C-alpha cells in the first residue's frame, strides 16, 4: 500500500518525506486555506513547492464545478508539474471532466466518494484514483471500511485499473484496516502515520535494553 500525506503543510510534508516512506501528497481547498494560501499565483507556487519536496503524485483540487471551468482549471494545474494529479469532485460534470482528462492524458483523483456507485462511475470515466472518505462515513454512523472492502472486490472483479485511495483517515487503526482490505493507497494526516510507531512494549523493551547495555 502506498502512503500519501493529507496536508498542505510543508513542514509536515517534509517530516513524513524524511521518514522515507512517503509516496505522494493529497491536498484539498480546506487544507490549502488552513495554510493561508490565497490567489491563483500563490496556489500554483505552493503546489510547485510540494512537488519539489516529494517525488510522487501530488493531488491538486479544482475549485470550479462546471465542466468547462474544471477542464480549464485542471489543465493549468497539470501544467505546474508532471506529478500533479487533478482532483475532481464526484458530481455529474466532474465525471465528464474526468473522462476528458483521461482522453487527454491527464491523471485524476475523484474526491468525495461515499458509495460504490460513485466509485464505479469514476473508474468507468478513467480516474487514476478514487478517494472514499472513510472518517466522514464513520462520523455519520456507517462503517467506512466496508466501502473499502466493497470497492476492492468490485475493482478486482471488473479489472478496473483505478487505484483505491483511502481518504479522510482519522487514526492509525484506519491505516491498518485499509491495508488489510487491500486499499492501493492511504492518505493520512501526519499524527496517524506517526501513530503506527507507537507500542508501549517497544518503549519498555528499549528502556530495558539500554539499562542492560550499561552492564556490557
Ligand atoms: C482527501 O483527499 C481529503 O483531502 C481528505 O482525506 C479529507 O479528510 P477529512 O475528512 O479529514 O477532511
Amino acid at each position: 500500500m502506498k502512503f500519501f500525506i493529507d496536508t498542505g503543510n510543508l513542514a509536515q510534508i517534509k517530516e513524513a518525506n524524511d521518514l522515507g516512506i512517503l509516496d505522494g501528497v493529497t491536498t484539498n481547498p480546506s487544507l490549502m486555506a488552513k495554510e493561508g494560501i490565497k490567489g491563483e499565483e500563490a496556489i500554483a507556487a505552493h503546489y510547485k513547492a510540494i512537488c519539489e519536496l516529494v517525488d510522487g503524485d501530488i493531488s491538486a483540487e479544482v475549485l470550479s464545478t462546471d465542466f468547462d471551468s474544471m477542464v480549464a482549471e485542471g489543465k493549468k494545474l497539470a501544467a505546474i508539474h508532471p506529478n500533479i494529479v487533478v482532483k475532481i469532485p464526484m458530481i455529474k460534470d466532474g465525471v465528464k471532466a474526468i473522462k476528458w482528462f483521461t482522453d487527454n492524458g491527464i491523471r485524476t483523483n475523484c474526491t468525495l466518494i461515499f458509495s460504490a456507485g460513485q466509485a464505479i462511475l469514476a473508474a468507468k470515466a478513467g480516474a487514476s484514483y478514487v478517494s472514499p472518505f472513510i472518517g466522514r462515513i464513520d462520523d455519520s454512523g456507517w462503517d467506512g471500511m466496508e466501502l473499502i472492502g466493497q470497492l476492492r472486490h468490485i475493482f478486482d472483479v471488473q479489472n478496473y485499473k483505478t487505484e483505491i485511495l483511502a481518504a479522510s483517515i482519522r487514526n492509525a487503526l484506519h491505516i491498518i484496516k485499509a491495508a488489510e482490505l487491500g486499499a492501493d493507497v492511504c492518505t493520512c494526516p501526519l499524527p496517524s502515520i506517526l501513530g503506527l510507531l507507537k507500542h508501549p512494549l517497544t518503549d519498555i523493551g528499549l528502556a530495558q535494553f539500554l539499562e542492560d547495555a550499561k552492564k556490557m
Side-chain angles (χ1 to χ4, degrees):
M1 184 173 78
K2 287 187 272 186
F3 268 72
F4 289 179
I5 187 166
D6 194 29
T7 184
N9 184 279
L10 295 179
Q12 291 192 10
I13 292 170
K14 190 176 176 318
E15 186 175 340
N17 198 43
D18 286 349
L19 269 178
I21 52 91
L22 199 64
D23 300 297
V25 181
T26 53
T27 60
N28 64 38
S30 309
L31 294 171
M32 293 287 278
K34 206 168 152 191
E35 298 308 312
I37 317 295
K38 218 173 176 181
E40 209 176 314
E41 266 180 40
I43 292 170
H46 200 72
Y47 286 137
K48 198 161 181 282
I50 296 175
C51 290
E52 280 162 6
L53 263 182
V54 178
D55 183 18
D57 286 350
I58 313 297
S59 286
E61 188 158 342
V62 296
L63 306 177
S64 38
T65 52
D66 68 276
F67 173 78
D68 289 330
S69 313
M70 277 192 271
V71 166
E73 212 185 316
K75 282 200 287 191
K76 279 190 201 165
L77 290 171
I80 295 171
H81 193 279
N83 288 351
I84 291 282
V85 176
V86 180
K87 207 170 174 190
I88 305 282
M90 172 31 77
I91 52 175
K92 202 170 170 189
D93 275 28
V95 174
K96 282 169 65 181
I98 290 168
K99 178 72 175 110
W100 188 92
F101 286 121
T102 305
D103 292 344
N104 287 275
I106 292 174
R107 292 174 310 135
T108 52
N109 172 0
C110 186
T111 189
L112 291 167
I113 295 278
F114 292 91
S115 75
Q118 292 177 327
I120 288 170
L121 268 183
K124 283 292 289 175
S128 316
Y129 298 100
V130 287
S131 289
F133 274 37
I134 303 312
R136 293 194 197 186
I137 296 174
D138 286 359
D139 290 345
S140 314
W142 283 275
D143 183 354
M145 282 302 157
E146 269 182 22
L147 181 57
I148 297 292
Q150 192 183 16
L151 295 188
R152 181 72 281 153
H153 176 72
I154 293 170
F155 281 29
D156 288 348
V157 167
Q158 296 298 332
N159 202 21
Y160 290 153
K161 298 293 171 240
T162 301
E163 293 188 60
I164 300 167
L165 194 169
S168 184
I169 293 295
R170 300 270 189 267
N171 52 54
L173 187 58
H174 271 161
I175 302 175
I176 296 163
K177 285 282 171 197
E180 195 178 335
L181 290 165
D184 298 292
V185 192
C186 205
T187 188
C188 329
L190 185 61
S192 303
I193 298 176
L194 298 179
L196 294 172
L197 284 166
K198 291 182 193 159
H199 200 290
L201 289 178
T202 304
D203 301 337
I204 293 166
L206 182 61
Q208 184 70 58
F209 283 155
L210 294 177
E211 199 49 42
D212 291 343
K214 292 178 191 156
K215 304 169 201 156
M216 281 167 66

